[in-house]
Amino acid sequence: MKRHLFTSMVLSLVLCAPPSRAQIPTRIESFPLSAVRLGPSQFLRNQQADISYLLGLDADRLLAPYLKGAGLPPRAENYTNWENTGLDGHIGGHYLTALSYMYAATANPEIATRLDYFLSELRRAQQHRSDGYLGGVPNPDQIWNEIARGDIRAASFGLNDRWVPLYNIHKIYAGLRDAWLLAGRKDAREMLIRLADWMIREVSELSDEQIQQMLASEQGGLNETFADVYDITRDKKYLRLAHQFSDQRMLQPLLRGEDNLTGKHANTQIPKVIGYKRIADLEGLADWDRAAKFFWEVVIGQRSVSIGGNSMREHFNPTNDFSGLLESEQGPESCNTYNMLRLTKMLYQTTADKSYIDYYERALYNHILSILNPVQGGFVYFTPMRSGHYRVYSQPQTSMWCCVGTGLENPARYGEMIYAHEGQDLLVNLFIPSTLNWDGLTLTQSNHFPREAATTLTLDMKRARTFALKIRQPRWCQGMQVTVNGQSSDFQTSDGYLVINRKWAKGDVVHVTLPMHLSAETTPDGRPQYSFLYGPIVLAARTGTDRQDGLFADDSRGGHIAAGPKIPLSQMPALVGEADEVLSHLQPAEGRPLTFNLHGVTIPRFEGLTLVPFYQLHECRYQIYFPLYSEAEWAARQQEMAEQEQARLALEARTIDKIFCGEQQSESDHFFASERSWNGSEEGLHWRRTRSSFSYQLKTTAATLLRIQSIAGDRQPLRLRLDDHELGTFQTQPDGVLEVQLPEGLQLEKARLNLSAEPERETPRIVEIRVCK
């Protein structure tokens, strides 16, 4: 049993920083995706489902924002959802990346045709403008002209009254880069450079301080893509641009080894760090490299759950309290793990530390593989850790979330870390059925992993050759064994790899056994709530299928959230016993691989509940973490939990709409508007306050009560208006709660709530707003 696997994992990664030099050397080279093809497995099935999803999208609808931005008539109207409410065009950039990766990974001719059409239309849009701009941001000239002359109004979720336009435009930068580097499309290279030159002109009259002010808004990984343009062209003006777009508010604490991530929007920060690492590698910046490693260690070791994901309602939760994450329906965000895998790959390539692959494998199997529904299609935004809850799946014509964008990319990237090479030494990192073609060598890996704890490698080559075959020794595996052509083989172990150095010939077969065992680990805060694993595979229980409201998403702004009824946690199974015996609650199910029966639970109807790999569960409610109590603790806790849950669920049942103030997605989903307001967090609670006013659009059908929660102790006056109805000026109770009865006979379906301060004063720090019946 482990307290938390990632905590011990990161301790092995505290490495001495490399000396500063012209470039941080790449020790491990990954293979291009074009050299790897997946074999029969869940990965291949997911990849095929993703191809269907990609081809099911209407390219002209995705292109519409770009043609409009160029002043050209679109061939079709925008998609709805996020694609016509302010983030117009962001999926188009992801789509371009996904097509490029999928073409490299499969050589699918339909994907190639779609890629070329998409690029031709983007080129037409860019050429129609004289300035090189290409983007989907609505009414682009207004916002970019304002910024160019120094009129910058930045907030975490917006810039000059637009929904994260820097984040938006980053997607097309990344898409053009990938179309060149992955698919070899020269037009994409030319468009990328023109667009980078446009950005140089856009900020040419701004000071570095003004650019930093602009970076208060989410910007994706612009610093990384500008560094990539430098690497492509070797023109240092793009490297300067990459530095200008590196957020110093994030970087400086990391350089000092300070973790101030609690409360920050997680996927705003991760791409920035990818950019720091990219710049560090290109320039040999040992301190920036060290900052990226520190960030990785903190996020993986102290902020991630067993599936490899992180965040609650998109933000980093406190490291000493994961209770909120395990209670929320908005658990780890898929985009976060997508980007953490990108950072992990970069760190592995310059350190050769296979511990990075241990994390990569964990997150790939248990989060990334699980977020695509292989039957119905569709991608997952949030993966709730709340026991008894469920996930929502996107639909091609209705759902245009950020996690659809990265979701489209993931299956095309499955093959990029299975193999690598260190000079002429060949590394096998992941046990995924696949074929590698490399310099006259064909290696085929076949297995039924993880259902069977073994893999077979078959080599084919024209001429015999000598090299070292290095097979990763996973952290979860003890007692690996290997044979070559059916005979025991001499091998060494080095840096976490089993090394077979010999002269290889056509037809050689290497068989590797990978013994797996059960383990249990807590959340990083050390509380007695356990997730069970078999080898690297997180196990979970199917707990029902009732009331999965919105299981397949519509095009509403909140359609990505599993908003159906929450089952009281007191009604979900917990374990009763001692920590050192927690694994005794699981017993293998005879004749059923990767299946375990759970015993000794608190809810009798769940006795004998079956645990299987989480990635196999879809369209159901589930449980991943199981709290552990002693007999005495359980009796007291059951009563306490029931009372707390009853109060929470009663409030939820009365709630028509709710807003988590200061949280990016919740506020943008409610069409936030503001004058002189700002946000922050305290002990994991996000808040917003103002010296003037801010407002949201709320659902108000059948509403009778407005409930506002602020930070306890904040008792400043607060003026409220609902559309044209002046509700009055109020003061919260000492516990921070304010309840206001709404006018009788209110018949509005939607209304805008305006919250404002008294003259020369500030409002309370408002945490949450609910409209109730």
Side-chain angles (χ1 to χ4, degrees):
M1 184 188 72
K2 304 179 181 69
R3 178 177 180 271
H4 183 67
L5 179 141
F6 296 145
T7 303
S8 60
M9 181 186 296
V10 298
L11 292 177
S12 68
L13 295 171
V14 182
L15 308 171
C16 295
S20 183
R21 61 190 72 182
Q23 187 166 322
I24 294 177
T26 298
R27 294 184 56 187
I28 303 293
E29 294 281 356
S30 59
F31 289 103
L33 275 174
S34 57
V36 180
R37 293 289 182 265
L38 298 183
S41 68
Q42 189 61 55
F43 289 98
L44 180 59
R45 290 189 287 273
N46 277 23
Q47 191 176 84
Q48 292 166 340
D50 189 40
I51 290 173
S52 297
Y53 202 105
L54 284 166
L55 295 176
L57 289 167
D58 186 333
D60 286 325
R61 296 187 72 181
L62 294 174
L63 286 161
Y66 294 93
L67 295 175
K68 291 178 181 179
L72 291 169
R75 301 184 191 275
E77 279 305 309
N78 293 34
Y79 274 112
T80 57
N81 195 239
W82 293 17
E83 279 288 309
N84 72 348
T85 55
L87 209 56
D88 311 31
H90 78 119
I91 292 292
H94 280 295
Y95 190 67
L96 184 55
T97 288
L99 291 173
S100 302
Y101 270 87
M102 192 63 79
Y103 175 67
T106 66
N108 183 295
E110 292 181 271
I111 293 292
T113 298
R114 185 68 64 90
L115 172 62
D116 289 335
Y117 175 73
F118 209 81
L119 283 171
S120 69
E121 288 294 280
L122 290 174
R123 183 174 180 81
R124 186 165 69 90
Q126 190 181 48
Q127 288 182 332
H128 193 72
R129 296 183 60 111
S130 60
D131 58 1
Y133 172 75
L134 178 65
V137 178
N139 301 313
D141 292 334
Q142 177 185 352
I143 179 176
W144 299 124
N145 288 341
E146 288 175 354
I147 291 171
R149 64 174 182 262
D151 179 5
I152 299 169
R153 306 184 301 279
S156 60
F157 57 88
L159 178 63
N160 287 47
D161 307 317
R162 307 297 178 84
W163 188 3
V164 289
L166 294 177
Y167 168 92
N168 191 343
I169 199 171
H170 165 255
K171 307 312 165 199
I172 195 61
Y173 274 111
L176 293 171
R177 172 201 63 196
D178 296 333
W180 163 239
L181 295 179
L182 274 295
R185 288 342 193 230
K186 293 182 180 179
D187 283 358
R189 182 184 189 277
E190 295 170 6
M191 285 189 279
L192 173 64
I193 294 170
R194 285 194 71 200
L195 189 56
D197 288 339
W198 167 83
M199 184 61 85
I200 289 175
R201 292 192 298 273
E202 171 70 11
V203 301
S204 62
E205 299 300 319
L206 302 181
S207 66
D208 287 347
E209 290 74 18
Q210 287 175 306
I211 295 174
Q212 288 294 307
Q213 179 187 348
M214 187 166 61
L215 298 183
S217 176
E218 186 178 6
Q219 68 262 201
L222 282 173
N223 56 347
E224 179 206 8
T225 53
F226 294 143
D228 289 333
V229 178
Y230 160 71
D231 196 27
I232 290 168
T233 64
R234 308 312 292 181
D235 189 327
K236 289 189 176 180
K237 67 181 181 181
Y238 303 115
L239 191 56
R240 168 169 167 72
L241 191 64
H243 276 273
Q244 289 177 304
F245 275 80
S246 291
D247 185 1
Q248 295 298 312
R249 284 159 296 201
M250 181 66 182
L251 176 60
Q252 292 304 317
L254 294 177
L255 291 173
R256 296 190 295 269
E258 297 174 4
D259 172 11
N260 65 352
L261 298 180
T262 297
K264 284 185 165 56
H265 186 255
N267 202 47
T268 295
Q269 317 314 323
I270 304 169
K272 296 177 189 177
V273 179
I274 292 172
Y276 304 152
K277 173 59 176 167
R278 183 72 172 115
I279 295 168
D281 289 350
L282 288 168
E283 289 194 275
L285 302 179
D287 53 347
W288 287 39
D289 179 59
R290 189 165 55 247
K293 291 175 184 173
F294 173 74
F295 175 86
W296 188 94
E297 291 162 4
V298 166
V299 172
I300 302 309
Q302 301 177 40
R303 298 185 177 277
S304 296
V305 291
S306 63
I307 64 170
N310 62 73
S311 80
M312 176 187 70
R313 298 202 303 266
E314 301 191 5
H315 295 74
F316 286 124
N317 59 281
T319 58
N320 62 352
D321 186 2
F322 275 65
S323 59
L325 196 160
L326 266 63
E327 294 172 2
S328 177
E329 79 281 11
Q330 299 179 44
E333 180 184 353
S334 301
C335 284
N336 299 8
T337 303
Y338 160 91
N339 277 313
M340 286 305 297
L341 291 189
R342 294 192 65 231
L343 178 60
T344 300
K345 177 183 176 181
M346 297 170 75
L347 292 167
Y348 170 66
Q349 288 180 309
T350 55
T351 64
D353 192 317
K354 72 94 183 173
S355 295
Y356 289 109
I357 304 298
D358 286 330
Y359 166 73
Y360 194 102
E361 178 183 58
R362 172 76 73 91
L364 180 66
Y365 272 95
N366 300 300
H367 196 187
I368 297 299
L369 188 61
S370 73
I371 62 175
L372 172 58
N373 185 327
V375 178
Q376 302 289 342
F379 302 100
V380 169
Y381 195 117
F382 293 123
T383 297
M385 293 292 104
R386 181 184 175 90
S387 295
H389 215 59
Y390 65 99
R391 293 162 291 177
V392 168
Y393 299 96
S394 71
Q395 297 300 285
Q397 309 306 319
T398 66
S399 312
M400 299 293 145
W401 324 317
C402 56
C403 293
V404 168
T406 54
L408 290 169
E409 297 179 33
N410 282 321
R413 305 176 79 128
Y414 287 158
E416 68 179 355
M417 291 294 281
I418 301 174
Y419 308 102
H421 67 99
E422 191 172 11
Q424 292 303 305
D425 294 344
L426 176 58
L427 282 65
V428 178
N429 280 321
L430 300 173
F431 309 114
I432 297 174
S434 52
T435 298
L436 167 70
N437 288 288
W438 175 43
D439 193 24
L441 165 68
T442 299
L443 183 146
T444 300
Q445 180 172 192
S446 56
N447 61 50
H448 297 288
F449 183 85
R451 185 162 57 88
E452 296 178 1
T455 191
T456 299
L457 310 169
T458 303
L459 287 77
D460 187 10
M461 63 194 78
K462 291 183 179 179
R463 292 184 299 273
R465 55 199 266 196
T466 299
F467 61 90
L469 179 65
K470 297 183 176 181
I471 303 168
R472 172 176 146 262
Q473 294 179 288
R475 182 179 294 271
W476 47 262
C477 183
Q478 302 294 325
M480 280 178 65
Q481 295 180 351
V482 61
T483 63
V484 177
N485 300 327
Q487 303 295 318
S488 297
S489 176
D490 292 333
F491 61 84
Q492 298 177 325
T493 57
S494 176
D495 298 325
Y497 286 87
L498 185 154
V499 182
I500 310 169
N501 199 332
R502 57 174 280 163
K503 189 172 186 178
W504 299 94
K506 178 181 176 68
D508 283 344
V509 177
V510 179
H511 184 75
V512 185
T513 57
L514 301 158
M516 294 196 287
H517 62 276
L518 279 170
S519 63
E521 61 185 49
T522 66
T523 46
D525 58 3
R527 300 190 183 195
Q529 44 206 10
Y530 289 90
S531 177
F532 296 101
L533 296 96
Y534 187 61
I537 307 301
V538 172
L539 303 172
R542 180 190 298 267
T543 61
T545 57
D546 58 309
R547 288 297 307 276
Q548 297 180 82
D549 298 0
L551 179 66
F552 300 106
D554 58 20
D555 66 352
S556 63
R557 283 289 288 267
H560 56 291
I561 300 170
K566 296 177 181 176
I567 297 174
L569 295 180
S570 59
Q571 296 178 17
M572 296 306 299
L575 307 176
V576 177
E578 301 301 323
D580 58 359
E581 298 177 348
V582 69
L583 288 176
S584 66
H585 291 274
L586 264 65
Q587 297 295 327
E590 187 175 353
R592 301 170 65 188
L594 295 177
T595 304
F596 298 85
N597 294 322
L598 183 67
H599 300 285
V601 298
T602 56
I603 310 297
R605 68 186 177 91
F606 287 116
E607 186 70 26
L609 194 67
T610 298
L611 272 65
V612 298
F614 176 58
Y615 72 77
Q616 294 180 357
L617 295 180
H618 288 284
E619 300 178 32
C620 67
R621 292 176 178 267
Y622 56 83
Q623 182 164 351
I624 294 176
Y625 276 93
F626 294 82
L628 177 71
Y629 300 97
S630 67
E631 294 281 358
E633 287 172 335
W634 174 243
R637 179 59 175 154
Q638 191 173 30
Q639 178 64 29
E640 178 188 356
M641 286 172 59
E643 292 173 357
Q644 292 175 348
E645 282 286 295
Q646 185 175 10
R648 277 198 295 265
L649 293 174
L651 179 60
E652 288 291 342
R654 295 168 51 211
T655 298
I656 298 168
D657 201 359
K658 61 184 174 183
I659 301 165
F660 299 105
C661 299
E663 295 190 9
Q664 174 176 318
Q665 199 56 55
S666 183
E667 291 194 322
S668 63
D669 284 345
H670 290 85
F671 302 95
F672 169 78
S674 166
E675 181 179 343
R676 295 169 62 203
S677 81
W678 64 100
N679 62 305
S681 66
E682 181 170 315
E683 296 183 354
L685 290 176
H686 294 84
W687 51 260
R688 180 168 294 283
R689 77 186 325 171
T690 181
R691 294 189 181 94
S692 180
S693 67
F694 59 96
S695 65
Y696 306 100
Q697 182 175 288
L698 297 129
K699 300 174 186 175
T700 52
T701 301
T704 61
L705 181 75
L706 180 67
R707 187 181 191 277
I708 297 174
Q709 174 73 58
S710 60
I711 297 291
D714 280 10
R715 306 207 63 198
Q716 298 90 335
L718 177 65
R719 181 182 176 187
L720 302 175
R721 187 178 76 249
L722 192 66
D723 274 0
D724 296 328
H725 300 275
E726 287 287 346
L727 301 181
T729 301
F730 305 89
Q731 193 172 48
T732 63
Q733 297 298 312
D735 63 0
V737 174
L738 169 64
E739 293 189 345
V740 177
Q741 293 293 327
L742 296 177
E744 291 186 12
L746 186 69
Q747 298 295 320
L748 301 173
E749 291 185 7
K750 296 180 180 179
R752 180 160 285 275
L753 177 67
N754 183 279
L755 306 93
S756 57
E758 292 286 89
E760 308 301 322
R761 301 194 67 177
E762 298 176 349
T763 62
R765 292 168 292 172
I766 299 171
V767 173
E768 180 185 277
I769 300 170
R770 290 176 183 258
V771 179
C772 302
K773 56 186 176 183

